[in-house]
Amino acid sequence: MTDGLMSKAATMEIPIHGNGDSRRLAEDDGLEQDLQQVMVSGPNLNETSIVSGGYGGTAEGIIPTSAIKGSSLHQQHPNPALAGEEATRGIAVEKFDVVKKWGINTYKCTKQLISERFGRGSRTVDLELETQIELLRDTKRKYESVLGLARALTSHFYSLVQTQHALADAFSDLSQKSPELQEEFGYNAETQKLLCKNGETLLGAVNFFVSSINTLVNKTMEDTLMTIKQYETARLEYDAYRTDLEELNLGPRDASTLCRLDAAQAHFQAHRAKYEKLRADVAVKLKFLEENKVKVMHKQLLLFHNAISAYFAGNQQQLEQTLKQFNIKLKSPGAEKPSWLEEP
């Protein structure tokens, strides 16, 4: 019966075999990072509570310290010193229990992680979901690159507009002080002023583009990736307790082992439920993220294309119309670097 439950819970168990290719060094670095992740969530002994589960666990199954202390304090004790001693002993036992449970869970997860990395174990794999997760991480890296380039463009173009503004002022000053070249300096000054005005309009569009991509990458995608990290932690815990249960099932069936087997089965069921819930959460978030990404990028790429095209074609009317189309308002020219953007 246990085997049947486990086969239904696991999407796919893939045995892992070690290899000696050139990726070993990178894998070792990844192993070190994963081990640090396993160890990072230690027990909080200042806010002590008894937790069923392990590192990275939720608040489910928590017995607050206040409940324990409260029950002790409401008992009748003829000797106040004895009551205080019992309360202190209760807190110490509770903290020891928290550390013990955290240590056992961390040991199991570390053992599972090392076993996977060195090809001596198996891990549960949802091929479709993991493909989508890897695609999201790759997409985020590429969007981060686009975001960096767009910010660089904004910075360089802002410098260009400032230079054109200074050049317009210089031409205008010389026009007044050079009667023989007044006309030539005059129309060059007007040309630079017009370029400044169009440049400021384009900066508004590009800044809006940068702001929207930044929100998509560093808020929307990052939120989904945080859920994915929780899912990956739950997957590791699930496989650790699955492996533990499998090993116990292969051992002798005496009274002591049967007791441990019941406990292992309960832990396995709890971690399987947590894993499956987070797997479903990730699938939903990935679906909505993809829909949102397409909607946002369709609008932003259209804006970027129309604004850039209108600016370099010298079409001031079309450039201003593009900003109106996307409800972008410009700040006054006295605004500080680099943004001319004021979102509605």
Side-chain angles (χ1 to χ4, degrees):
M1 179 178 178
T2 300
D3 294 339
L5 288 171
M6 291 168 61
S7 62
K8 287 165 62 179
T11 306
M12 182 181 297
E13 293 172 19
I14 296 184
I16 306 196
H17 303 287
N19 58 63
D21 58 23
S22 60
R23 295 175 296 175
R24 177 60 57 87
L25 183 59
E27 290 176 355
D28 290 345
D29 291 340
L31 175 60
E32 181 179 354
Q33 293 174 2
D34 288 339
L35 286 173
Q36 289 174 351
Q37 177 64 29
V38 169
M39 298 300 294
V40 72
S41 302
N44 185 349
L45 299 182
N46 294 323
E47 297 291 337
T48 311
S49 54
I50 298 176
V51 182
S52 63
Y55 80 95
T58 64
E60 296 175 1
I62 295 180
I63 304 175
T65 306
S66 57
I68 296 176
K69 289 190 286 189
S71 62
S72 298
L73 294 175
H74 284 85
Q75 294 177 5
Q76 295 296 326
H77 290 284
N79 189 338
L82 180 61
E85 181 180 343
E86 287 185 3
T88 302
R89 186 185 300 113
I91 293 173
V93 169
E94 179 190 358
K95 289 185 175 182
F96 175 77
D97 188 53
V98 170
V99 173
K100 178 182 176 183
K101 290 183 177 182
W102 175 82
I104 291 172
N105 189 77
T106 302
Y107 166 75
K108 290 180 184 296
C109 292
T110 304
K111 178 183 175 184
Q112 174 67 25
L113 181 62
I114 293 174
S115 177
E116 291 177 7
R117 290 304 178 94
F118 288 94
R120 294 193 296 268
S122 63
R123 65 187 295 266
T124 302
V125 177
D126 185 323
L127 292 175
E128 181 180 357
L129 190 62
E130 294 203 6
T131 299
Q132 293 177 20
I133 290 171
E134 187 54 39
L135 179 61
L136 170 59
R137 287 183 168 135
D138 183 58
T139 299
K140 185 172 184 285
R141 285 190 293 268
K142 291 176 179 177
Y143 275 45
E144 285 171 339
S145 177
V146 169
L147 181 60
L149 292 170
R151 281 174 170 160
L153 175 64
T154 303
S155 178
H156 295 320
F157 200 78
Y158 175 83
S159 297
L160 172 63
V161 171
Q162 292 299 99
T163 302
Q164 289 173 331
H165 191 278
L167 194 56
D169 289 343
F171 283 152
S172 181
D173 182 59
L174 285 168
S175 173
Q176 297 174 14
K177 297 178 180 179
S178 305
E180 69 281 5
L181 294 172
Q182 183 177 15
E183 184 179 350
E184 288 82 354
F185 277 128
Y187 60 66
N188 272 282
E190 291 303 316
T191 299
Q192 293 302 318
K193 288 178 182 178
L194 178 60
L195 288 173
C196 283
K197 185 177 186 302
N198 289 346
E200 290 165 3
T201 306
L202 178 61
L203 275 172
V206 175
N207 270 313
F208 189 83
F209 176 83
V210 168
S211 175
S212 299
I213 302 303
N214 179 65
T215 299
L216 178 64
V217 171
N218 292 315
K219 292 184 180 178
T220 312
M221 289 186 179
E222 190 60 34
D223 175 72
T224 302
L225 286 171
M226 288 297 295
T227 305
I228 288 171
K229 288 177 182 177
Q230 295 173 3
Y231 158 74
E232 290 172 339
T233 296
R235 196 282 306 165
L236 181 64
E237 290 178 333
Y238 165 71
D239 278 337
Y241 283 90
R242 174 182 58 79
T243 301
D244 189 48
L245 181 59
E246 289 172 350
E247 290 174 352
L248 284 173
N249 273 321
L250 294 174
R253 297 299 181 94
D254 53 32
S256 174
T257 304
L258 288 175
C259 182
R260 291 173 56 199
L261 194 59
D262 288 342
Q265 180 70 37
H267 282 120
F268 166 75
Q269 295 289 359
H271 285 287
R272 183 179 69 170
K274 179 182 176 182
Y275 162 73
E276 291 180 342
K277 179 183 182 302
L278 282 167
R279 183 176 62 184
D281 290 347
V282 168
V284 170
K285 284 201 170 187
L286 285 171
K287 179 178 181 293
F288 284 116
L289 173 61
E290 181 63 23
E291 293 174 356
N292 186 52
K293 182 193 74 174
V294 171
K295 181 179 178 181
V296 168
M297 292 308 299
H298 174 78
K299 176 181 178 180
Q300 295 306 316
L301 290 172
L302 183 63
L303 163 68
F304 192 80
H305 173 269
N306 289 353
I308 292 286
S309 299
Y311 174 82
F312 284 102
N315 192 334
Q316 180 183 358
Q317 183 178 359
Q318 181 62 40
L319 184 58
E320 292 175 351
Q321 183 60 38
T322 298
L323 266 67
K324 289 180 182 178
Q325 178 185 351
F326 292 93
N327 298 317
I328 301 172
K329 297 179 181 179
L330 298 180
K331 289 184 178 179
S332 62
E336 294 184 357
K337 178 188 178 185
S339 178
W340 300 87
L341 172 66
E342 180 179 43
E343 295 186 41

